[in-house]
Amino acid sequence: MTAFTDAEFEDAAGLAPAVVRRYLSGKGWSAEGDLSGAELWEWRPPQEPGAPFNPTPYELLVPMQRRRDYAGRVADILETLAVVEARRPADIIREMQLPPVDWQFLRLVPPGPSGTAPLLDLVSALTGLKDLHTAAASSALTPQAVQPGQKPQVVKDHVAAVRLDQTRVGSYVIAAHTPLPDSLLGGHEGEAGQGSLFNDADLIRHGPSPSEPFARRVSRMLFAGVTCARFVAEQTLGEDSVSHFEHLDSAGLSANLCEALVKIAGEERRGFSLAFAWSSERPMEQPSPPVAIGRRHVQALEAVAKDLRQRLGREAGAVLHGVVTRLNRDVAPPEATVYGDIVREDFQRQRSVRVELRPEDIDKAADAWRRGLEVAVKGDLEPRGTGVRMRRLTAFVVGQE
């Protein structure tokens, strides 16, 4: 029997019946019927391969309203949940008290004892998870096969709102959640019509509904994008070549998302999986099974990301800071080679960029070259061989000595 502290017992008494039912619904429990002021809820463990019959289900009696023994009955519920989920009642209570959220569970398989992970693996995984949310939010806003480095404020706000929770049972499971609006499009908890949020039977084909809150659109785009990434990795491995997959950008596939998945795998390219759980206040009708990414998938996704960037990697309105190292007036249009940083939020990398100059920029570039002055150039970046070229300039500013 699980021992409850006085504080936990008080917290259990403070949980509203609707909150308890919402939590159970989100964890896969189902209401089976009414029993004199209470609901019978049931959860059946997954059947083990080769088992001769379905496992015996767990059952809970959930009170419909507060009565004198309410705290004790909720404590009984928490005791059963603690067994099913292998977690402390305090952790379950804290999760019940959260506002409506969508969950993502990143399961790593690092070497060493269960429940531990090398620091470097976690750094890569957390950075990759942040980039994954950034890519999904960018695709939810504007689907593109290659997302620009500069991100709109709504994307930044989404990433800032993502929270990490306590780790879960498993080799090493990172739990993240995204808050959703409290109301159902102006409705109330339990109100009918929630299915209208998910008219599309196939998210990969149809993408998210524009009527959804942005946080849910990102959650769905994240699921669809990761699912597509595994699909294109499998196809790339099967054909031993990279096909054109940019038609899947509306479902969240992008070079940025593929690169984020590669980053999660870390330098050792370890496999991992992503699982998704949806707020019961905005139920998800489409099945969303976990997505496993293995070492060979990671290698294929590196190739897919590189292909997308090389073919489709034009970045409009990019900013380049650096110095002019070469000036060529004898080509049409004239070119300056600028060595410096392309200003991006996801990374900073110094490199040489060939810049196609406008007529009014030629003398400024020559002056900056002779005097060794820094320049700031704004234009469109395009892949060229193994490098990049900046074209269609909108600004060429020379700094002061």
Side-chain angles (χ1 to χ4, degrees):
M1 180 175 180
T2 303
F4 281 81
T5 66
D6 292 342
E8 289 170 350
F9 200 78
E10 291 180 7
D11 289 340
L15 296 170
V19 170
V20 176
R21 296 198 302 273
R22 181 181 71 189
Y23 179 88
L24 294 175
S25 176
K27 295 297 182 179
W29 292 73
S30 58
E32 298 298 325
D34 296 336
L35 291 174
S36 183
E39 282 184 334
L40 177 64
W41 285 69
E42 183 178 286
W43 180 81
R44 190 177 296 275
Q47 186 171 358
E48 296 294 332
F53 52 82
N54 290 331
T56 302
Y58 286 87
E59 293 182 340
L60 292 174
L61 278 179
V62 181
M64 299 292 292
Q65 55 186 326
R66 297 177 186 273
R67 292 181 176 173
R68 182 173 300 178
D69 62 344
Y70 181 77
R73 297 176 71 177
V74 174
D76 291 340
I77 294 172
L78 292 169
E79 183 176 355
T80 300
L81 291 175
V83 173
V84 170
E85 300 181 18
R87 291 204 290 160
R88 300 182 308 158
D91 297 334
I92 298 173
I93 291 172
R94 183 180 51 78
E95 187 172 331
M96 284 186 177
Q97 293 171 333
L98 289 174
V101 295
D102 284 341
W103 290 87
Q104 300 87 41
F105 300 99
L106 172 58
R107 183 178 183 272
L108 308 178
V109 191
S114 178
T116 69
L119 176 60
L120 293 180
D121 283 17
L122 287 181
V123 170
S124 296
L126 291 175
T127 303
L129 185 60
K130 177 182 80 70
D131 292 350
L132 203 61
H133 270 276
T134 302
S138 298
S139 292
L141 192 65
T142 307
Q144 290 179 260
V146 181
Q147 295 289 348
Q150 294 290 344
K151 302 299 187 294
Q153 188 61 43
V154 66
V155 173
K156 300 177 187 178
D157 291 343
H158 169 80
V159 176
V162 178
R163 311 291 295 180
L164 291 182
D165 203 75
Q166 295 175 340
T167 57
R168 298 294 194 265
V169 173
S171 185
Y172 198 93
V173 180
I174 299 172
H177 61 76
T178 307
L180 300 179
D182 289 328
S183 63
L184 286 165
L185 301 179
H188 302 282
E189 182 181 356
E191 188 172 284
Q194 295 178 19
S196 63
L197 291 173
F198 308 101
N199 289 330
D200 52 330
D202 185 349
L203 180 59
I204 294 178
R205 288 171 48 202
H206 300 291
S209 165
S211 64
E212 293 173 312
F214 186 68
R216 168 51 66 84
R217 289 169 59 195
V218 174
S219 296
R220 286 178 37 137
M221 192 65 86
L222 181 56
F223 163 69
V226 173
T227 301
C228 286
R230 191 182 191 282
F231 166 78
V232 302
E234 288 279 3
Q235 188 164 330
T236 298
L237 291 170
E239 298 178 356
D240 199 24
S241 64
V242 178
S243 301
H244 290 183
F245 296 112
E246 54 268 25
H247 62 286
L248 295 175
D249 60 356
S250 61
L253 184 73
S254 66
N256 310 66
L257 182 132
C258 292
E259 290 161 351
L261 293 171
V262 171
K263 190 173 294 183
I264 289 174
E267 293 184 1
E268 300 298 326
R269 299 296 187 258
R270 306 190 203 281
F272 60 90
S273 66
L274 274 159
F276 302 83
W278 313 91
S279 169
S280 59
E281 290 198 3
R282 295 180 180 269
M284 182 68 171
E285 295 180 355
Q286 178 191 0
S288 50
V291 182
I293 304 293
R295 180 186 295 268
R296 296 177 68 241
H297 295 132
V298 173
Q299 295 172 346
L301 290 174
E302 283 185 293
V304 171
K306 183 177 180 180
D307 174 74
L308 289 173
R309 283 202 179 274
Q310 287 181 342
R311 292 189 299 103
L312 306 168
R314 187 175 76 87
E315 181 176 337
V319 177
L320 171 66
H321 287 173
V323 294
V324 179
T325 59
R326 184 181 178 187
L327 181 64
N328 188 350
R329 300 172 182 261
D330 298 330
V331 295
E335 290 183 347
T337 300
V338 177
Y339 181 79
D341 290 323
I342 299 170
V343 180
R344 287 181 171 134
E345 293 187 354
D346 46 2
F347 67 93
Q348 297 290 324
R349 175 187 174 189
Q350 288 193 324
R351 64 190 305 171
S352 290
V353 180
R354 289 190 178 185
V355 178
E356 293 186 359
L357 300 173
R358 302 170 299 181
E360 63 267 30
D361 300 326
I362 298 174
D363 290 341
K364 291 188 287 186
D367 183 53
W369 182 35
R370 288 192 301 267
R371 299 167 64 189
L373 300 178
E374 291 189 356
V375 298
V377 190
K378 186 175 183 179
D380 295 348
L381 282 178
E382 296 180 356
R384 182 180 177 86
T386 58
V388 290
R389 177 187 294 269
M390 181 172 279
R391 308 177 66 186
R392 293 178 285 276
L393 298 193
T394 57
F396 193 106
V397 180
V398 179
Q400 301 296 318
E401 290 184 289

